[in-house]
């Protein structure tokens, strides 16, 4: 509602105006009254009214002086002047203050309502216009922020071609203000257990922490670009070289403050991971990579709150020492779909990794990705996991980054194996087959052109030829060679419809190195020779 202030030295006039009008009708509310100009001026500052109904003659300040002083700090308020005087000087003073109307006492209800109706219309139109302007400004600010965030998104995605742009080109493209000096990328990351992720934690507190860090960085830096993604707030900062130590002190001080703020929450950590400070665009790539390493290594040291690139240590020998002794047992557990055994092997490997993270701070992550690769390879081979390695790797890497503690990695990997095994068990009877048979069938589909055999297929499935022969017959109802020939014939039928392939080419492209044998097998499966099939189906694509 629009706020109204009534000012008149005659108390009964104030009371009359207040009671005379149905203020709700005009979407207005009388927020205050005053009987002198000085009190009225203070009330204007306090309640910020939209409309003031003011008498010309009153103590303190007269109406004209009062309006002049209000206009010094508030140009939006509307005035309706009331007076028992008809003098031109008063009217001229009122008009100078752009009043809505000049009413004579005694107050006429219909006349006042008419003026209030006009004021209400103007205030409503002004309010709607201000809302539209505010919405436009908000949208512009939001659009500018999205453009700025795109710079960080591109850098995090490895779009290094952006670094080939000049500083002026980057500033123009991303609405930034980078200057001569150093650049560094850093991340404020929130690690919390699932219970807090689901709402037990006041998200407003995390927003305030992020806003506080942003403000403190802006006070020191030329430019700070922020982007909040998942449990991370990423900052690309640009500053004078001389500010390097001041920024380090700031980060250490603020992370201590934030840690105190969240002490009441169990297993909640706020950490800062910083990349290398760099002098030019070409080095930003290294800064991003260093920050990622800090993010991936942070759970190896649960008591640490801030990580710089110099804290990262790596070793090439620790991962093989952990993986090699256990890989066969782990692979066997996958092949037997023994989830408990697979999880046990994972926990054993992570127990050994615990003693090596001081030498290789990325050891937890390296072991995690090695196990992820093994899981994908097995379940992709038996056609349970349909994702490409690149897709699967990025998905599982995201799970790793979101995990708040190192103990969560075994749980994530174990849950993934359970999910894959469950998908296999949910296949219909018609779709189900032994994992080894699924591997062999895929091997045939991908290699039918080559000289494959029962022996090579058995090696692929890691079983003996004799066992594969029996298992294939049991699962598919036909022997291995007949299934192989069926797959080859289906491909041959497709090629025979294309005139660019002669019969010899078709035989060679489908793994039959002997044309006579090809024709024999083709007729056995289709009922006619390849030549007859071509005559009937040439150019058709049914």
């Amino acid at each position: 509602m629009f706020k109204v202030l009534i000012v008149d030295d005659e108390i009964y006039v104030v009371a009359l105006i207040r009671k005379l009008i149905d203020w709700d009708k005009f979407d207005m509310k009388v927020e205050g009254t005053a009987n002198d100009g000085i009190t009225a001026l203070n009330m204007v500052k306090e309640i910020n009214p939209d409309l003031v109904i003011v008498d010309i003659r009153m103590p303190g300040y007269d109406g004209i002086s009062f309006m002049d002083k209000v206009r010094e700090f508030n140009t939006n308020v509307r005035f309706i002047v009331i007076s028992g005087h008809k003098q031109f000087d008063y009217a001229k003073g009122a008009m100078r203050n752009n009043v809505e109307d000049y009413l004579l006492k005694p107050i006429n209800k219909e006349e006042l309502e008419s003026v209030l109706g006009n004021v209400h219309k103007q205030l409503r139109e002004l309010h709607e216009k201000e809302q539209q302007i505010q919405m436009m400004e908000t949208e512009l600010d939001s659009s500018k922020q999205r453009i700025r965030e795109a710079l960080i998104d591109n850098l995090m995605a490895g779009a290094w071609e952006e670094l080939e742009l000049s500083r002026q080109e980057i500033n123009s493209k991303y609405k930034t203000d980078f200057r001569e000096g150093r650049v560094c990328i850093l991340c404020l990351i929130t690690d919390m257990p699932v219970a807090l992720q689901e709402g037990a934690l006041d998200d407003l507190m995390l927003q305030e922490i992020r806003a506080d860090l942003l403000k403190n960085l802006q006070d020191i830096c030329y430019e700070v670009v922020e982007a909040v993604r998942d449990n991370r707030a990423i900052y690309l900062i640009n500053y004078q070289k001389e500010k390097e130590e001041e920024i380090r002190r700031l980060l250490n001080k603020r992370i201590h403050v934030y840690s105190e703020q969240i002490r009441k929450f169990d297993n909640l950590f706020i950490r800062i991971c910083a990349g290398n400070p760099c002098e030019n665009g070409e080095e930003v790539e290294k800064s991003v990579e260093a920050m990622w390493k800090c993010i991936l290594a942070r759970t190896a040291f649960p008591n640490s709150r801030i990580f710089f690139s110099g804290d990262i240590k790596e070793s090439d020998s620790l991962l093989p020492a952990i993986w090699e002794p256990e890989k066969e047992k782990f692979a066997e557990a996958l092949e037997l779909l023994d989830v408990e055994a697979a999880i046990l092997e994972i926990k054993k490997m992570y127990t050994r990794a615990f003693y090596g993270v001081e030498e290789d701070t990325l050891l937890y992550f390296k072991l995690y990705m090695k196990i992820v690769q093994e899981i994908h390879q097995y379940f992709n081979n038996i056609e349970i996991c349909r994702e490409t390695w690149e897709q699967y790797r990025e998905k599982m890497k995201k799970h790793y980054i979101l995990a708040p503690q190192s103990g969560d990695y075994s749980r994530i990997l174990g849950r993934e194996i359970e999910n894959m095994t469950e998908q296999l068990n949910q296949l219909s009877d018609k779709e189900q087959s032994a994992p080894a048979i699924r591997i062999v069938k895929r091997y045939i589909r991908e290699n039918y052109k080559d000289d494959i055999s029962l022996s090579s297929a058995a090696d692929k499935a890691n079983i003996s030829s004799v066992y594969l022969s029996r298992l294939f017959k049991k699962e598919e109802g036909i022997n291995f060679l007949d299934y192989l020939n069926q797959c080859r014939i289906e491909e041959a039928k497709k090629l025979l419809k294309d005139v660019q392939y002669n019969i010899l080419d078709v035989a060679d492209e489908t793994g039959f190195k002997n044309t006579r044998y090809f024709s024999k097998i083709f007729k056995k499966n289709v009922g006619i020779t390849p030549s007859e099939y071509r005559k009937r189906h040439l150019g058709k694509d049914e």
Side-chain angles (χ1 to χ4, degrees):
M1 299 184 79
F2 298 112
K3 294 180 286 186
V4 179
L5 174 65
I6 302 173
V7 187
D8 197 299
D9 61 336
E10 298 179 83
I11 297 176
Y12 78 91
V13 173
V14 173
L16 175 65
I17 295 174
R18 189 164 195 166
K19 294 182 179 179
L20 193 63
I21 301 299
D22 179 5
W23 296 100
D24 288 339
K25 177 180 175 182
F26 301 100
D27 197 24
M28 295 179 181
K29 181 181 179 182
V30 178
E31 291 286 350
T33 62
N35 303 118
D36 64 83
I38 295 175
T39 302
L41 187 63
N42 290 330
M43 292 191 72
V44 170
K45 295 176 180 178
E46 179 183 344
I47 68 176
N48 190 28
D50 300 288
L51 171 64
V52 178
I53 301 175
V54 59
D55 188 13
I56 283 291
R57 299 290 294 273
M58 56 185 181
Y61 297 119
D62 63 28
I64 302 301
S65 301
F66 165 74
M67 288 187 288
D68 285 338
K69 288 190 173 296
V70 169
R71 287 300 187 207
E72 291 176 5
F73 63 88
N74 188 332
T75 59
N76 294 323
V77 65
R78 262 63 173 171
F79 292 106
I80 296 176
V81 174
I82 54 176
S83 177
H85 301 272
K86 297 183 179 180
Q87 287 91 337
F88 177 72
D89 288 342
Y90 289 132
K92 185 170 68 173
M95 296 305 294
R96 184 179 70 234
N97 282 287
N98 195 26
V99 301
E100 302 308 314
D101 216 323
Y102 186 88
L103 303 180
L104 293 175
K105 297 179 180 178
I107 302 299
N108 179 279
K109 178 180 179 180
E110 288 74 18
E111 189 176 3
L112 179 55
E113 284 186 336
S114 176
V115 176
L116 289 173
N118 291 333
V119 172
H120 173 259
K121 181 180 178 182
Q122 293 173 16
L123 289 173
R124 187 182 62 203
E125 290 175 350
L126 177 63
H127 179 66
E128 291 174 352
K129 184 177 180 180
E130 288 175 344
Q131 282 189 319
Q132 291 175 352
I133 293 173
Q134 187 176 7
M135 288 175 61
M136 290 173 63
E137 289 176 345
T138 301
E139 181 60 32
L140 285 171
D141 289 343
S142 178
S143 177
K144 180 180 178 181
Q145 179 61 22
R146 287 195 296 270
I147 292 172
R148 288 165 61 86
E149 289 177 1
L151 174 58
I152 289 181
D153 288 337
N154 287 337
L155 293 178
M156 297 299 282
W160 308 125
E161 61 273 10
E162 296 299 303
L163 302 179
E164 298 175 4
L165 300 174
S166 67
R167 188 188 315 122
Q168 292 76 15
E169 289 172 324
I170 288 178
N171 285 338
S172 175
K173 182 176 180 179
Y174 292 104
K175 312 300 180 187
T176 52
D177 185 27
F178 288 108
R179 306 179 196 176
E180 186 80 26
R182 289 196 167 180
V183 174
C184 183
I185 190 163
L186 51 93
C187 174
L188 178 73
I189 188 163
T190 308
D191 289 321
M192 65 182 79
V194 175
L196 295 182
Q197 293 176 24
E198 293 176 348
L201 177 66
D202 184 1
D203 191 51
L204 181 60
M205 182 179 70
L206 298 181
Q207 292 178 17
E208 289 174 349
I209 288 174
R210 291 165 183 159
D212 177 81
L213 181 59
L214 177 63
K215 180 182 181 302
N216 277 276
L217 288 171
Q218 287 173 333
D219 290 342
I220 298 176
C221 301
Y222 291 138
E223 176 65 287
V224 182
V225 182
E226 179 194 40
V228 178
R229 299 292 182 265
D230 297 320
N231 63 336
R232 307 181 298 278
I234 302 161
Y235 305 89
L236 182 64
I237 62 175
N238 170 224
Y239 53 91
Q240 290 177 300
K241 181 179 179 180
E242 293 74 20
K243 299 284 187 179
E244 186 79 52
E245 286 305 314
E246 184 179 353
I247 290 175
R248 278 189 172 243
R249 289 194 300 271
L250 167 70
L251 294 178
N252 279 291
K253 180 180 178 181
R254 299 321 298 167
I255 201 65
H256 176 74
V257 172
Y258 305 150
S259 297
E260 288 298 311
Q261 286 181 247
I262 63 172
R263 281 182 63 184
K264 63 180 180 179
F265 296 102
D266 292 333
N267 299 320
L268 173 63
F269 303 99
I270 300 285
R271 297 180 171 110
I272 292 177
C273 301
N276 299 322
C278 49
E279 302 283 354
N280 55 64
E282 294 178 359
E283 296 176 347
V284 173
E285 178 179 353
K286 295 179 180 178
S287 184
V288 173
E289 291 174 352
M291 182 194 70
W292 268 122
K293 287 185 176 181
C294 290
I295 291 173
L296 296 173
R298 73 191 189 284
T299 54
F301 304 99
N303 296 322
S304 299
R305 296 292 179 268
I306 187 164
F307 298 87
F308 295 101
S309 56
D311 299 324
I312 301 299
K313 298 177 182 178
E314 293 193 66
S315 168
D316 294 330
S317 61
L318 290 175
L319 179 62
I322 294 171
W323 172 251
E324 291 300 326
E326 306 295 337
K327 69 176 183 179
E328 291 186 5
K329 292 181 181 179
F330 182 67
E332 182 181 359
L334 290 182
E335 290 173 9
L336 295 174
L337 302 178
D338 189 338
V339 177
E340 290 185 5
I343 294 174
L344 180 61
E345 291 302 320
I346 292 172
K347 289 182 177 179
K348 284 168 59 179
M349 287 186 279
Y350 266 101
T351 299
R352 294 186 63 188
F354 173 79
Y355 296 101
V357 289
E358 289 192 5
E359 293 181 53
D360 187 346
T361 49
L362 291 170
L363 185 57
Y364 284 158
F365 177 68
K366 292 175 181 178
L367 177 58
Y368 177 90
M369 293 310 297
K370 191 69 176 177
I371 296 171
V372 164
Q373 187 176 19
E374 193 75 9
I375 293 171
H376 178 269
Q377 182 176 334
Y378 178 73
F379 286 103
N380 185 257
N381 276 342
I382 63 175
E383 300 184 322
I384 294 299
C385 178
R386 303 285 183 173
E387 296 164 294
T388 66
W389 165 238
E390 290 74 18
Q391 293 169 332
Y392 189 74
R393 178 186 61 201
E394 290 306 308
K395 180 185 78 172
M396 295 303 292
K397 181 179 178 182
K398 184 175 181 180
H399 291 327
Y400 181 95
I401 293 170
L402 291 174
Q405 297 173 319
S406 59
D408 292 314
Y409 304 142
S410 297
R411 177 183 55 81
I412 293 170
L413 295 166
R415 186 178 59 199
E416 186 67 12
I417 295 171
E418 287 177 343
N419 290 340
M420 293 289 187
T421 303
E422 186 177 346
Q423 289 180 46
L424 177 61
N425 293 334
Q426 287 177 349
L427 292 175
S428 66
D429 292 340
K430 185 176 180 180
E431 292 174 310
Q432 274 195 2
S433 60
I437 298 303
R438 299 173 71 89
I439 293 173
V440 168
K441 288 169 71 174
R442 178 170 182 172
Y443 173 67
I444 290 173
R445 286 197 302 273
E446 293 178 352
N447 299 277
Y448 65 87
K449 296 181 182 180
D450 302 327
D451 185 20
I452 60 178
S453 63
L454 179 67
S455 177
S456 64
D459 289 342
K460 188 70 177 177
N462 199 27
I463 58 178
S464 71
S465 300
V466 174
Y467 180 64
L468 174 58
S469 179
R470 292 174 182 172
L471 184 62
F472 205 97
K473 180 71 173 180
K474 176 185 175 182
E475 294 281 338
E476 300 299 317
I478 59 174
N479 63 42
F480 172 83
L481 184 57
D482 286 341
Y483 182 86
L484 172 60
N485 285 333
Q486 283 182 5
C487 291
R488 287 172 166 171
I489 294 302
E490 287 303 312
E491 293 300 320
K493 287 161 69 175
K494 297 175 185 177
L495 297 179
L496 287 169
K497 297 173 186 177
D498 191 337
V499 70
Q500 69 173 315
Y501 295 101
N502 59 41
I503 302 299
L504 182 61
D505 292 334
V506 172
D508 188 61
E509 285 292 318
T510 53
F512 293 101
K513 305 309 175 185
N514 184 300
T515 308
R516 290 182 62 186
Y517 180 65
F518 166 59
S519 297
K520 177 183 177 182
I521 298 300
F522 191 94
K523 186 172 183 178
K524 177 182 176 182
N525 280 270
V526 184
I528 56 177
T529 65
S531 299
E532 291 172 334
Y533 184 87
R534 163 162 280 182
K535 289 178 182 177
R536 295 183 187 181
H537 299 277
L538 189 61
K540 296 181 181 179
D541 192 24
E542 72 270 13

